[in-house]
Amino acid sequence: MKHKNRYYSRSKISEVKFRQIIRFFAMDFTATDTAKLTDISVRSINPIFIKIRKIIAVECEKTSPFEGIVELDESYFGAQRIRGKRGRGASGKTIVFGLLKREGSVYTEIVPDCSKATLQGIIRGHIELDSVINTDGWRGYDGLVDLGYEKHLRVNHGKNEFACGDRHINGIESFWGYAKKRLIKFNGIDKKMFYLHLKETEYRFNHRHSNLYLDLLKLLRENPL
């Protein structure tokens, strides 16, 4: 009798083989490497990886509002800059806004710009009012106390100020470094797929202290492909 694959409905791939695929995904192997190691075509592995990333993205979007000490920052993803502006205002880049609960989880969102209206719209929806917010000196963060937030601490990177005791955004900046280092191995990501890769990176970071393989198996048992 053929055993049912609990993780992938109507699949010809056995559950044992599929668990092997999940293990390689958890180890952050590419679809190409996973195909070679499992002796399954990359044309079959790619759709599986995309489906897993979609489930991960849905899970990431369920994040509850952050509270406590929260760090905010934006980062720019895309091809290496050749000419033009650096940082805010750099052309041709994908802008990502990040919120990080210190010593905890991160939440990311792709944004069209770094305007005050855009950033504060996300902040109001994802951070509790009694939180302590840490940012740099960007004007998009002006007025957070007026919105009702208990405390807003800033570091002025323009004056080479990066930390003063507990006033810093080192945690979210560390996440940006991890994200860019991880994503560069894909040798360029189609803009249509960037959101899924970003959310996968967010998920990996948020589960950095647990067994990602077991976490993924649990997630896929609850949400089979």
Side-chain angles (χ1 to χ4, degrees), residues 98-139:
L99 296 73
L100 179 135
K101 177 177 171 58
R102 194 166 288 173
E103 306 301 330
S105 298
V106 68
Y107 170 78
T108 61
E109 189 164 324
I110 297 171
V111 294
D113 54 57
C114 297
S115 68
K116 183 175 179 179
T118 296
L119 300 186
Q120 294 193 2
I122 298 170
I123 292 167
R124 287 197 300 269
H126 290 86
I127 302 178
E128 299 286 1
L129 289 175
D130 58 354
S131 301
V132 177
I133 296 178
N134 287 255
T135 72
D136 61 17
W138 174 240
R139 61 179 178 272

Side-chain angles (χ1 to χ4, degrees), residues 13 17 20-25 28-49:
I13 300 174
K17 179 67 74 171
Q20 189 179 28
I21 293 171
I22 297 305
R23 184 174 294 280
F24 290 137
F25 183 92
D28 212 6
F29 286 14
T30 64
T32 300
D33 288 339
T34 300
K36 292 176 182 176
L37 291 166
T38 57
D39 199 28
I40 297 175
S41 72
V42 71
R43 291 181 64 183
S44 297
I45 296 294
N46 264 325
I48 292 173
F49 275 22

Side-chain angles (χ1 to χ4, degrees), residues 1 15 39-40 82 95 97 127 129 189 206 223:
M1 179 179 177
E15 184 169 307
D39 199 28
I40 297 175
I82 299 175
I95 311 170
F97 183 43
I127 302 178
L129 289 175
I189 298 173
N206 291 344
N223 306 274

Side-chain angles (χ1 to χ4, degrees), residues 44 56 61 128 130 157 163 193-194 217:
S44 297
I56 285 173
E61 296 295 351
E128 299 286 1
D130 58 354
H157 288 173
M193 300 299 296
F194 177 75
L217 288 181

Side-chain angles (χ1 to χ4, degrees), residues 4-21:
K4 181 180 179 181
N5 187 335
R6 293 173 293 170
Y7 307 99
Y8 195 0
S9 304
R10 299 182 297 279
S11 172
K12 295 181 180 179
I13 300 174
S14 70
E15 184 169 307
V16 171
K17 179 67 74 171
F18 189 78
R19 287 169 72 102
Q20 189 179 28
I21 293 171

